[in-house]
Amino acid sequence: MVHAAISAFSSFSPATTTAREALEPGSSVQFEPSSFAPQPERPVAHGGAAGAKRILFVTSELADFVKVGGLGDVSSSLPRALAENHDVRLLMPAYREVMELERDIEIVGHLPSHADIPPCEIGKLTCPDGMVVYVLICPELFEREGNPYCDELGEGWSDNEIRFARLSLAAAEIAADEPGLGWAPDLLHLNDWPTGLAAGYLTWRGHEVPSVFTIHNLAYQGECDSTRREALGIPAAALESGDALDSAGRISFLKIGLAYSSHVTTVSATYAREITKPEYGCGLDNLLASRAEEGRLSGIPNGIDDSWDPRIDPHLEFNFAMSDWRGKRENTQFIRRMFGLAVSNGPLFAVVSRLVHQKGLDLTVAAAESIVRAGGQIVIIGRGERPIETALCNLAARFPGAIGVNIGFDESEARCMYAGSDFLLMPSRFEPCGLSQMYAQRFGSLPIAHRTGGLADTIEDGVTGFLFDEMNIESYMRAIDRAFAVFNSTDLFYAMRRAAMASRYQWREAVKPYHRLYQKVLNQYWQAGVENPSVRRYAANQRYVAY
């Protein structure tokens, strides 16, 4: 519901007991439930803590309203965790799901058209916990069936460059206080390609506001033909310099974010190193290596929120605590019934994933027969690329009673799968951070994963899960065979479960590096002097910033 009104003012948490200590048989480890210079002529942040900053967190999805992948979860959790120390507000498109909310949306501003980017209204809604979300109301761009990026058939919207240019331009305009909201950020925190153009607009328009740009997945770069330059309001010089173009000569929103932001982060230390190499750099490894040399590339791992507690999670059929394996077995039987699997005493493997090439599901398809013949069962939930969906459905038809597949996604069902499974299969080709392995560990399901990105950083091989090194079926099967061996060694299996459940990846600790980074970026920005537009290209001494 929308009503018009003019507003006057408008990582890891260190555990006291280590995972290895929790691995000891009989362990009783338990886990808990859950000075920078102020900017001249800019309002002082009114967050509670000293040194609080005004942060506009710009995102294309928010799990509260609409979620496609992990970005939606991070966008919901990270700003809330940051809000304990800063005045954090969100900006996102007003998708159909947002406009259909039974909440009042106050119209607080208007943004004009620019080039081929249409005008829009700025709505403001406040979540029950007080989090403020600005939404861009432009029905012609955002109120559609499908998801934020694709239509109901999974095809990308043909005007995505205009849709997310509108989001990016709005972020830059709010940063410059153009809509007169009575609130303007000290810093923009941009997320993935849909917001990358915002860093460019800040520079091209001479707006003296720094930005942090977070890569959640480098493989998605938001490309469009270079002939769209004028339609998007991109200056010709940005194409001539190469800052806006990928290796094929197409405009890349993600590359613009990398080229013009004050600092680049990604979501694990290992992935930050990987993407400076050709194997993982998706054609941007040279630029990212340059950012690393300048001290402008950091790896900051994601966290998970306190709702991931099997003792109190309302989504579960049976709540359970560490070492309450009877309660966990009840969830296992529930999942077997849900997916129509036969009664079994063997291990239950789960896949909770977007069904895309990146996730290595072709390896799981190849391994499925061996898993079933060894007495295992597999349950799979997710949606994505049609050929992968078809291959998984064919697998379920081939092994009735042993493999169950649900094409789609349901949050409650996914949580029950983490709680009921013994092992989580994650053979990702690359994984910037990954959240599923953390969810699984918290619920006592041991991940089996490729040693890459955030998976390598969050899984201790043989302690809180299993890692394999080569992206081939032989290496994957060796890890699966190890999992079967541990399952049949009851004391070791339960010890690894305890170790996994004792892992700490909570947001309240994971946000601390962001506090330090925001302060560093603002300090360096102001020390360099805002009179120089090239201030955004400052260089620090450190190669990789260790947060």
Side-chain angles (χ1 to χ4, degrees):
M1 181 185 303
V2 179
H3 68 273
I6 303 301
S7 173
F9 189 87
S10 318
S11 158
F12 307 111
S13 172
T16 55
T17 304
T18 67
R20 284 202 177 274
E21 290 169 332
L23 187 55
E24 296 300 321
S27 168
S28 59
V29 173
Q30 296 294 316
F31 53 82
E32 296 298 323
S34 29
S35 106
F36 83 98
Q39 182 169 340
E41 301 180 3
R42 189 172 279 275
V44 177
H46 60 260
K53 303 159 185 67
R54 294 175 184 259
I55 309 297
L56 183 64
F57 191 93
V58 189
T59 183
S60 54
E61 53 185 276
L62 178 66
D64 300 57
F65 311 138
V66 58
K67 168 186 167 181
V68 175
L71 174 59
D73 289 323
V74 172
S75 298
S76 179
S77 300
L78 175 54
R80 287 182 162 97
L82 288 167
E84 293 186 11
N85 296 88
H86 304 290
D87 181 1
V88 184
R89 303 188 184 190
L90 280 79
L91 175 68
M92 68 174 293
Y95 302 116
R96 174 182 52 82
E97 295 89 342
V98 175
M99 299 304 292
E100 291 175 354
L101 291 171
E102 293 185 1
R103 297 184 191 174
D104 287 345
I105 299 177
E106 179 185 10
I107 304 299
V108 294
H110 172 83
L111 296 173
S113 62
H114 175 67
D116 284 3
I117 302 169
C120 68
E121 306 295 331
I122 302 176
K124 177 183 176 183
L125 61 85
T126 303
C127 297
D129 61 359
M131 185 171 72
V132 173
V133 182
Y134 294 118
V135 295
L136 298 182
I137 301 173
C138 186
E140 66 186 276
L141 296 184
F142 301 125
E143 293 184 41
R144 305 175 178 181
E145 299 295 328
N147 72 36
Y149 317 109
C150 302
D151 62 23
E152 292 176 295
L153 299 177
E155 297 294 328
W157 297 110
S158 61
D159 60 347
N160 268 345
E161 76 276 16
I162 294 293
R163 298 173 72 236
F164 293 110
R166 178 66 277 176
L167 174 62
S168 293
L169 181 59
E173 290 169 325
I174 291 172
D177 202 19
E178 292 179 8
L181 302 179
W183 183 94
D186 299 309
L187 180 145
L188 294 186
H189 190 148
L190 310 172
N191 293 273
D192 264 351
W193 73 263
T195 67
L197 212 52
Y201 287 134
L202 286 174
T203 301
W204 303 326
R205 291 177 159 224
H207 297 330
E208 298 164 350
V209 180
S211 60
V212 170
F213 182 71
T214 296
I215 306 166
H216 297 268
N217 194 329
L218 192 66
Y220 298 93
Q221 299 189 9
E223 303 103 338
C224 66
D225 195 88
S226 60
T227 58
R228 300 294 288 160
R229 178 190 68 78
E230 291 185 4
L232 299 173
I234 299 174
L239 272 64
E240 293 165 2
S241 68
D243 285 345
L245 298 178
D246 66 12
S247 58
R250 293 168 59 83
I251 293 171
S252 167
F253 280 36
L254 188 133
K255 186 176 181 183
I256 291 169
L258 300 180
Y260 290 100
S261 59
S262 308
H263 196 97
V264 177
T265 72
T266 191
V267 287
S268 72
T270 296
Y271 192 61
R273 291 189 295 270
E274 288 176 340
I275 59 178
T276 65
K277 309 298 181 184
E279 307 92 281
Y280 292 97
C282 299
L284 296 171
D285 47 287
N286 288 334
L287 175 58
L288 288 160
S290 174
R291 294 292 169 267
E293 291 285 354
E294 297 166 351
R296 294 172 55 197
L297 175 63
S298 305
I300 303 178
N302 289 329
I304 61 176
D305 63 47
D306 291 342
S307 71
W308 292 93
D309 186 338
R311 296 171 300 179
I312 59 174
D313 190 332
H315 298 86
L316 304 188
E317 286 297 305
F318 301 91
N319 292 114
F320 64 98
M322 188 184 296
S323 297
D324 176 15
W325 308 137
R326 182 189 60 81
K328 185 165 173 65
R329 280 194 296 271
E330 293 288 352
N331 285 286
T332 303
Q333 298 313 317
F334 172 75
I335 289 298
R336 285 193 168 110
R337 291 192 298 271
M338 177 189 295
F339 281 86
L341 303 186
V343 175
S344 173
N345 291 319
L348 182 62
F349 296 78
V351 175
V352 182
S353 175
R354 288 184 297 115
L355 307 182
V356 296
H357 179 71
Q358 172 204 339
K359 300 299 183 178
L361 293 156
D362 52 311
L363 287 188
T364 295
V365 170
E369 181 173 355
S370 295
I371 291 173
V372 171
R373 292 192 183 282
Q377 296 174 314
I378 308 172
V379 289
I380 301 168
I381 185 174
R383 69 166 62 252
E385 298 167 5
R386 289 296 177 88
I388 297 176
E389 292 180 354
T390 300
L392 294 174
C393 289
N394 290 341
L395 202 61
R398 183 181 169 197
F399 297 103
I403 297 178
V405 175
N406 179 3
I407 301 301
F409 184 81
D410 177 82
E411 179 76 18
S412 294
E413 188 172 324
R415 286 180 178 245
C416 289
M417 289 172 66
Y418 292 125
S421 60
D422 298 301
F423 302 102
L424 179 77
L425 298 174
M426 281 191 79
S428 302
R429 287 179 163 79
F430 61 93
E431 195 64 65
C433 179
L435 294 172
S436 293
Q437 78 277 14
M438 302 184 205
Y439 299 151
Q441 288 170 329
R442 193 72 164 149
F443 282 8
S445 179
L446 303 177
I448 303 171
H450 182 208
R451 193 189 300 272
T452 186
L455 300 176
D457 292 349
T458 56
I459 300 168
E460 190 172 358
D461 190 28
V463 179
T464 62
F466 304 90
L467 295 172
F468 64 97
D469 294 313
E470 303 298 328
M471 195 64 194
N472 57 51
I473 188 62
E474 293 79 15
S475 186
Y476 189 30
M477 280 307 308
R478 283 194 293 271
I480 291 171
D481 289 342
R482 290 171 59 209
F484 270 103
V486 167
F487 181 83
N488 292 323
S489 177
T490 304
D491 288 344
L492 178 57
F493 180 51
Y494 289 164
M496 286 187 69
R497 270 188 180 171
R498 285 194 297 272
M501 295 178 76
S503 299
R504 293 290 194 272
Y505 308 114
Q506 292 162 313
W507 270 118
R508 58 178 169 268
E509 292 295 327
V511 295
K512 291 180 179 178
Y514 282 109
H515 301 324
R516 297 192 290 271
L517 176 61
Y518 292 160
Q519 181 160 322
K520 174 186 172 179
V521 168
L522 285 163
N523 279 348
Q524 292 182 315
Y525 187 85
W526 287 105
Q527 289 167 5
V530 297
E531 72 281 355
N532 180 4
S534 66
V535 68
R536 294 172 183 83
R537 297 186 181 276
Y538 65 84
N541 295 324
Q542 197 172 348
R543 177 177 172 83
Y544 282 101
V545 185
Y547 290 111

